[in-house]
């Protein structure tokens, strides 16, 4: 008996889903495209939400920002669930190995006392600010419109919990479980934290989801993260607190990465229409002074008499970032 | 003119690479076989890091090509930004 081997080329009849074909043409689509575009439910709702009967369950009117195509707000990182979890798990492995090394060798004991106290006073209470970030982004993913923006906002919400956990661990490593109680007390009682607490609580009750995106992801994070994970971190490293930098590495990397995503959203939304641009610009102008006022006492604790200089530099960088994203702030 | 070619495995990692190559080299022709694609081009073929990065939305190291590369034909000239195949004669 003779056997002939031959290869048979089978042409696939379909490259991807029909709705993806309508958007991008009949060719193989990326996972990100298949997991993102036109997934938002648009009709066949059985009933209106009882708590808001004037709107549909998913409704474009939940924000003043208007887009012809909400899917224009795409994620430059192209995160779908798989890509995002893989990226974060790599970062978590790196962070875990840093923490392991610090705990095994008792490296926290060699941090100068003054640096340690600053880290405990400034970093650990920030976990409550992170919780606000989690709440805001969860709200966006619940009430926002279009998977292109609601999907990365949910990832962003979860990332905030990760940051809060790292801040918690920093407290545990430096000072044990008491660090968390004193941070909570500071958040609730200390004069230094009350403006920030008030601001975070105010953002919790904002209704317009795109306004939350601007207030939280652009303004609050855009001013706070450079201040803490760039300037303050540099001070720690320069004065013998490299151990703390090892523990905040994820936050530094993550805030740089997410800033690119936030900027891309603002850029697209502002370029869509003069109304959007004016709206977002006004929000930035509204929230910037509030955040700066909330950061002022924290900066004074962190940088002493350098606080105003540092805040001015951070603000200048932030304004340049907004201008680059097409806002006139 | 003589032809250069490059062949890749066909998977999720190479899809954006192939797309970038075909966009940057309008004279190139892709021949799909089962599980692989061979891209032929008259004269030269350039793979640009920037074009791939634009499609995948992250930093790309041209060395990542090697993971799914099956074969090449031509004189290779590569740096951090470009992977270029040509015949020097």
């Amino acid at each position: 008996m003779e056997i002939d081997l031959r290869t048979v080329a089978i042409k696939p009849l379909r490259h991807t889903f029909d709705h993806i074909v309508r958007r991008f043409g009949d060719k193989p689509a990326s996972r990100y495209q298949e997991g993102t575009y036109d997934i938002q439910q648009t009709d066949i709702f059985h009933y209106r939400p009882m708590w808001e009967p004037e709107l549909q369950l998913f409704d474009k009117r939940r924000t003043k920002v208007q887009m012809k195509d909400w899917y224009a707000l795409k994620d430059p990182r192209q995160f779908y669930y798989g890509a995002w979890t893989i990226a974060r798990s790599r970062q978590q492995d790196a962070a875990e190995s840093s923490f392991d090394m610090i705990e095994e060798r008792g490296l926290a004991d060699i941090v100068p006392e003054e640096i340690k106290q600053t880290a405990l006073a400034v970093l650990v209470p920030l976990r409550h600010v992170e919780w606000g970030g989690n709440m805001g982004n969860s709200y966006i993913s619940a009430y926002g419109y279009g998977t292109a923006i609601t999907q990365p906002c949910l990832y962003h919400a979860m990332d905030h919990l990760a940051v809060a956990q790292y801040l918690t661990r920093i407290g545990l490593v430096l000072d044990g479980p008491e660090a968390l109680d004193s941070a909570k007390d500071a958040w609730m009682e200390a004069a230094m934290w009350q403006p920030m607490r008030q601001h975070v609580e105010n953002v919790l009750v904002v209704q317009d989801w795109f306004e939350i995106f601007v207030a939280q992801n652009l303004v609050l994070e855009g001013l706070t993260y450079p201040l803490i994970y760039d300037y303050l971190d540099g001070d720690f490293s320069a004065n013998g607190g490299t151990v703390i930098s090892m523990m905040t590495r994820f936050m530094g990397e993550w805030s740089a990465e997410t800033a690119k995503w936030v900027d891309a959203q603002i850029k697209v939304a502002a370029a869509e229409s003069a109304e959007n641009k004016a709206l977002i610009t006004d929000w930035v102008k509204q929230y910037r002074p509030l955040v700066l006022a909330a950061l002022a006492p924290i900066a004074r604790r962190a940088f002493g008499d350098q606080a105003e200089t540092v805040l001015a530099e951070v603000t200048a960088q932030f304004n340049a970032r907004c201008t680059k994203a097409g806002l006139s702030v | 003119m003589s032809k250069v070619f490059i062949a890749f495995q066909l998977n999720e990692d190479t899809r954006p690479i192939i797309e970038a190559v075909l966009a940057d080299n309008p004279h190139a022709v892709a021949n799909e076989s089962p599980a692989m694609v061979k891209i032929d081009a008259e004269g030269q073929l350039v793979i640009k890091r920037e074009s791939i990065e634009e499609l995948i939305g992250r930093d790309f190291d041209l060395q990542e090509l090697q993971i799914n590369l099956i074969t090449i034909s031509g004189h290779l000239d590569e740096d951090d930004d470009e992977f270029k195949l040509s015949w020097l004669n």
Side-chain angles (χ1 to χ4, degrees):
Chain A
M1 188 175 99
E2 193 180 332
I3 296 176
D4 277 342
L5 286 177
R6 62 192 182 103
T7 52
V8 179
I10 301 171
K11 276 260 172 264
L13 291 176
R14 291 161 157 272
H15 291 300
T16 180
F17 304 107
D18 284 352
H19 63 275
I20 302 286
V21 170
R22 282 194 287 275
R23 251 182 204 278
F24 301 104
D26 193 6
K27 56 176 202 245
S30 71
R31 290 278 168 83
Y32 174 70
Q33 288 169 336
E34 291 187 344
T36 304
Y37 285 90
D38 297 310
I39 291 200
Q40 168 77 54
Q41 200 178 341
T42 53
D43 36 31
I44 321 182
F45 300 129
H46 290 261
Y47 41 80
R48 287 181 172 247
M50 283 163 137
W51 69 92
E52 226 172 22
E54 69 279 13
L55 295 175
Q56 295 278 18
L57 206 49
F58 298 109
D59 204 312
K60 296 173 184 176
R61 290 170 295 176
R62 283 203 170 87
T63 174
K64 290 202 200 91
V65 171
Q66 289 179 358
M67 300 286 295
K68 276 198 285 294
D69 176 13
W70 281 101
Y71 287 93
L73 296 167
K74 61 174 191 283
D75 182 355
R77 303 161 304 176
Q78 299 187 25
F79 278 158
Y80 55 95
Y81 187 70
W84 172 70
T85 43
I86 290 165
R88 292 293 177 261
S89 83
R90 284 203 194 107
Q91 288 168 294
Q92 179 161 0
D93 285 345
E96 285 300 327
S97 74
S98 291
F99 275 100
D100 283 349
M101 182 175 157
I102 291 162
E103 283 162 19
E104 269 171 31
R105 308 192 179 198
L107 295 180
D109 306 338
I110 57 166
V111 178
E113 190 58 25
E114 194 187 333
I115 296 278
K116 188 166 146 178
Q117 289 311 323
T118 304
L120 286 169
V122 175
L123 292 181
V124 188
L126 276 173
R127 65 200 200 106
H128 301 288
V129 179
E130 291 301 325
W131 184 77
N134 168 269
M135 292 291 282
N137 280 284
S138 303
Y139 180 94
I140 297 170
S141 56
Y143 296 98
Y145 196 86
T147 316
I149 180 96
T150 54
Q151 167 179 239
C153 280
L154 190 55
Y155 302 152
H156 201 58
M158 290 296 138
D159 288 339
H160 276 294
L161 290 187
V163 173
Q165 290 187 348
Y166 285 133
L167 292 169
T168 305
R169 285 180 70 176
I170 290 171
L172 293 173
V173 166
L174 292 178
D175 200 26
E178 298 78 45
L180 308 185
D181 293 334
S182 34
K184 177 72 188 276
D185 291 343
W187 177 250
M188 299 299 288
E189 310 292 343
M192 163 181 151
W193 285 102
Q194 294 323 297
M196 180 54 91
R197 183 170 145 227
Q198 185 183 24
H199 179 68
V200 168
E201 288 176 5
N202 285 344
V203 175
L204 285 181
V205 295
V206 172
Q207 292 268 314
D208 184 315
W209 64 267
F210 208 100
E211 182 179 346
I212 298 178
F213 188 89
V214 174
Q216 168 70 38
N217 297 354
L218 179 65
V219 185
L220 180 64
E221 295 174 19
L223 291 165
T224 308
Y225 289 157
L227 187 77
I228 305 292
Y229 300 119
D230 186 2
Y231 284 86
L232 183 59
D233 194 63
D235 275 8
F236 285 158
S237 291
N239 297 301
T242 322
V243 171
I244 297 166
S245 303
M246 283 169 72
M247 296 191 278
T248 58
R249 189 178 146 192
F250 171 77
M251 288 77 120
E253 274 178 23
W254 169 79
S255 57
E257 175 218 284
T258 50
K260 282 188 198 143
W261 159 66
V262 172
D263 287 2
Q265 311 314 300
I266 300 292
K267 202 172 188 164
V268 170
E272 173 97 359
S273 67
E275 291 80 16
N276 281 2
K277 186 179 161 176
L279 198 59
I280 297 170
T281 299
D282 287 348
W283 280 331
V284 171
K285 285 180 178 163
Q286 176 193 338
Y287 286 103
R288 186 177 45 196
L290 296 172
V291 171
L292 287 172
L295 284 173
I298 301 166
R300 264 197 299 282
R301 173 67 184 82
F303 303 100
D305 48 15
Q306 290 296 305
E308 278 183 23
T309 322
V310 174
L311 269 180
E313 274 181 42
V314 168
T315 311
Q317 288 164 5
F318 173 77
N319 292 348
R321 189 182 147 190
C322 290
T323 309
K324 209 173 145 194
L327 304 176
S328 29
V329 294
Chain B
M1 282 298 253
S2 36
K3 275 195 172 175
V4 296
F5 66 78
I6 187 163
F8 290 108
Q9 297 178 47
L10 214 47
N11 58 32
E12 184 64 15
D13 293 337
T14 57
R15 206 185 32 73
I17 300 172
I18 293 159
E19 201 176 321
V21 173
L22 294 176
D24 287 339
N25 301 274
H27 62 294
V29 182
N31 297 301
E32 289 197 11
S33 345
M36 91 165 215
V37 64
K38 179 165 172 276
I39 302 171
D40 297 303
E42 281 287 343
Q44 71 159 8
L45 191 73
V46 185
I47 304 179
K48 295 182 180 150
R49 182 176 55 85
E50 269 192 354
S51 318
I52 298 172
E53 284 179 354
E54 224 155 273
L55 289 172
I56 59 176
R58 63 169 177 90
D59 290 343
F60 184 81
D61 184 338
L62 276 179
Q63 295 300 316
E64 290 178 56
L65 292 179
Q66 313 283 350
I67 299 170
N68 298 296
L69 181 64
I70 296 170
T71 177
I72 57 172
S73 152
H75 174 87
L76 172 60
D77 178 14
E78 63 175 332
D79 56 25
D80 287 346
D81 303 316
E82 283 189 351
F83 181 104
K84 202 150 112 193
L85 288 168
S86 61
W87 291 111
L88 298 176
N89 47 15

